[in-house]
Amino acid sequence: MGDNLISVNNVSVNFDYQENFISKKQKIHAVNNINIKIKKGSFFGLVGESGSGKTTLGRAILGANKISSGNVIFHDDERDYDLTDINKQDLKEYRKKAQLIFQDPYAALSPRMTVRDIIAEPLEVMKITNSRQETDERVRDIAAKCRLNIEHLRRFPHAFSGGQRQRISIARALVSNPKFIVADESVAALDVSIQADILNLLKHLQSELNLTYLFISHDLSVVAHVCDVVAVMYLGHIVEMGPSRELFKNPKHSYTKALLSSIPSIDPEKRSEAIELKGEIPSALNPPPGCVFRTRCPNPGIDCKGGEITMGLTEVEPGHWVDQCCVL
Amino acid sequence: MSHLLEVKNLDVKFDTDEGRITAVENISLSVDQGEVLGIVGESGSGKSVTAKSIMKLNPGNTSYNEDAEIILDNENVLQFTSKQDLKKIRGGKVSMIFQEPMASFAPAIKIGAQMVEQLLIHKNINKDEAKSISINMLKRVGIADAEKRFNQYAFELSGGMRQRAMIAMALSTMPKLLLADEPTTALDVTIQAQVINLIKDIIKEYQMGVIFITHDLGVIAQVADHVAVMYLGSVVEKGPVNEILKNPKHPYTKGLLQALPDINNLDAPLSPIPGNIPSPLDRPTGCVFRTRCPHHNPEGKDGKIKMKLIEVEPGHWVDQCGIQCGQNG
């Protein structure tokens, strides 16, 4: 277990759902039986369409969603934190070590606080620093690392562009000196040239501060560029997982193949090569039994069409796992 | 042959408390029947303002220049002032699809009722005819159970389905020109691929002209015939899609392409365009891109070169300052 930072073991997250007060209570299976290990210092990518459970899994790992079954373990240097039954004191400690960067830099920053106060807030809430002077020092230090102008610390967020705001959010997430960062669609709202800038910054900070990322995104080309390991999610299940280059060069699952072919190619001569998936992602209220992808699968086998094959990952190459339905 | 739409020397300015803002400066574009013109650019580059000018949908503090012309079907839209005339273009000859389909449908009115309402305004038909046109259109865009969906509200549909319904509604009046403002940006890639194919089919079938606005160069490569690249309210480069994407001349177009992560070339570094887009309140004089241009020539840097598009290849126009800088880089 030495080189893993996070172990996710058989984790499922369910939500209760009741359409109205007389109807029957139902369960939404947002995340089903997930097993992942995130290595120290890695850039772990999680891709999938909306409704696939990426964000729920990210939040479960941060201890922000209740885990219905299974467990998440954070391997710190001195001790392990088991998030399934964690007490308040430990959860506070854990929060210093695991932080979140949000998608929308316009909504994530309070318009009434100065940039300095925004970045300093985690230090004050977690009681990490003892004096105002120490807080200021930490804030200035992290702001410089995130390439923010020190002079800008006295301003309010409205004075900044989207890219600068995202740098403020990153500085706030990093100020408590965490080891693990969940970046949830952190570049989705940005223009391409700013997106490139923020991705380069995240990469740079990773080596400088020894960070481990869980990078959640729907954009495969972005994930392919920055991540070492990628897991593809569909309807609460991981359908394929492996080293990023191997997975994108040699995708095995038909969903991954369809996703890759759907990326609009920059070459105008290569039009319409997309494997078109019919229909849309089914509701998580009653997912299809067996392979969850079979209702949209372009080439289902006879067995999986009937839903007789259960979901489960098989290792096809060292480190490259594919759902067994698509391997058969 | 005259173009379906021709925009000539258009300036759009907004009067705000902080002063007069130039949102669009000296834009000339044209669209033919059955042709897709793609407009690309970052947020704040004036893409949407340009499109809205064609329907005169910009807010009350907008002023257009005297000598600008927007010729649609041999009529100058900018001269239209009466409600009657404006009705002819808004939803009649021109329809628009927006980015966020949830925000463009009224939440408390059934989708069918909204579709019928606009048909009754623009076409001389009765309610039953309007209903059957609408349902056929919903079927045409690939919505299963069109009769059932017709009686549902926008929130009951999924994102992809809502965007299809939006397209059906925009097309049911048989417009000559379709303005699509980031129609696939809010959708997942697999749904985006479906919607792009649908839009392409429909253009072929109805032979309408389309202006397709997006920030995604990949989407442009898939749908457009011609492309105009906008930066801070000016067109810096325009031409056939193949030329622009494979043989870009302007440093801004080159910068956009280099910043794009390419899944087929994972070793290429992502290079952002340095600096930030200036505020439209202090728009640079001369070449608008000079404050961020990595290869600026001395005269261009001082703002001494005026913006002017020059034809470098047949149909491929580049801003004159950018031609020089592009050669440096």
Side-chain angles (χ1 to χ4, degrees), chain A residues 58-107:
Chain A
R59 289 174 57 95
I61 293 175
L62 283 175
N65 266 353
K66 238 184 125 195
I67 298 164
S68 311
S69 66
N71 62 26
V72 175
I73 297 172
F74 176 80
H75 308 282
D76 201 7
D77 294 338
E78 307 94 50
R79 51 164 297 194
D80 288 356
Y81 292 86
D82 184 346
L83 293 187
T84 355
D85 54 350
I86 193 166
N87 59 39
K88 265 192 173 166
Q89 197 54 42
D90 281 355
L91 191 60
K92 271 187 186 163
E93 281 300 308
Y94 178 61
R95 292 259 155 87
K96 291 178 192 167
K97 292 172 180 163
Q99 283 287 329
L100 178 64
I101 306 171
F102 294 94
Q103 169 171 6
D104 185 353
Y106 289 85

Side-chain angles (χ1 to χ4, degrees), chain A residues 48-51 54 161 164 167 188 190-197 199-200 218-222 224-226 244-245 248 255 258-260 262-274 276-281 296, chain B residues 41-43 158-161 164 187-194 196-197 200 215-225 241-242 245-246 255-257 259-273 276 292:
Chain A
E49 296 178 276
S50 27
K54 324 184 279 290
S161 67
Q164 285 168 314
R167 274 189 234 138
L190 306 174
D191 279 319
V192 275
S193 81
I194 299 161
Q195 169 179 296
D197 186 39
L199 290 173
N200 288 343
H218 68 278
D219 189 332
L220 281 98
S221 15
V222 168
H225 257 266
V226 296
S244 146
R245 283 185 185 230
F248 286 115
Y255 180 61
L259 267 186
L260 278 170
S262 301
I263 302 173
S265 162
I266 193 74
D267 186 346
E269 278 156 22
K270 285 190 196 155
R271 289 194 175 179
S272 305
E273 286 177 0
E276 203 175 304
L277 291 182
K278 301 274 175 255
E280 300 183 18
I281 192 163
R296 290 174 81 197
Chain B
E42 295 177 276
S43 20
S158 67
M161 191 121 56
R164 281 166 192 271
L187 306 175
D188 284 314
V189 274
T190 59
I191 310 290
Q192 169 172 289
Q194 290 174 2
I196 286 177
N197 284 342
K200 283 204 290 206
H215 67 277
D216 188 334
L217 286 161
V219 174
I220 282 287
Q222 295 300 308
V223 295
D225 302 310
V241 65
N242 245 324
L245 294 178
K246 294 206 163 160
L256 277 183
L257 284 164
L260 201 69
D262 181 1
I263 198 141
N264 297 315
N265 186 6
L266 294 179
D267 294 316
L270 298 176
S271 17
I273 299 170
N276 289 311
R292 294 173 75 191

Side-chain angles (χ1 to χ4, degrees), chain B residues 228-249:
Chain B
V229 182
M230 285 188 77
Y231 180 78
L232 212 57
S234 295
V235 171
V236 294
E237 183 162 7
K238 65 176 181 183
V241 65
N242 245 324
E243 267 291 299
I244 299 287
L245 294 178
K246 294 206 163 160
N247 188 16
K249 298 279 188 219

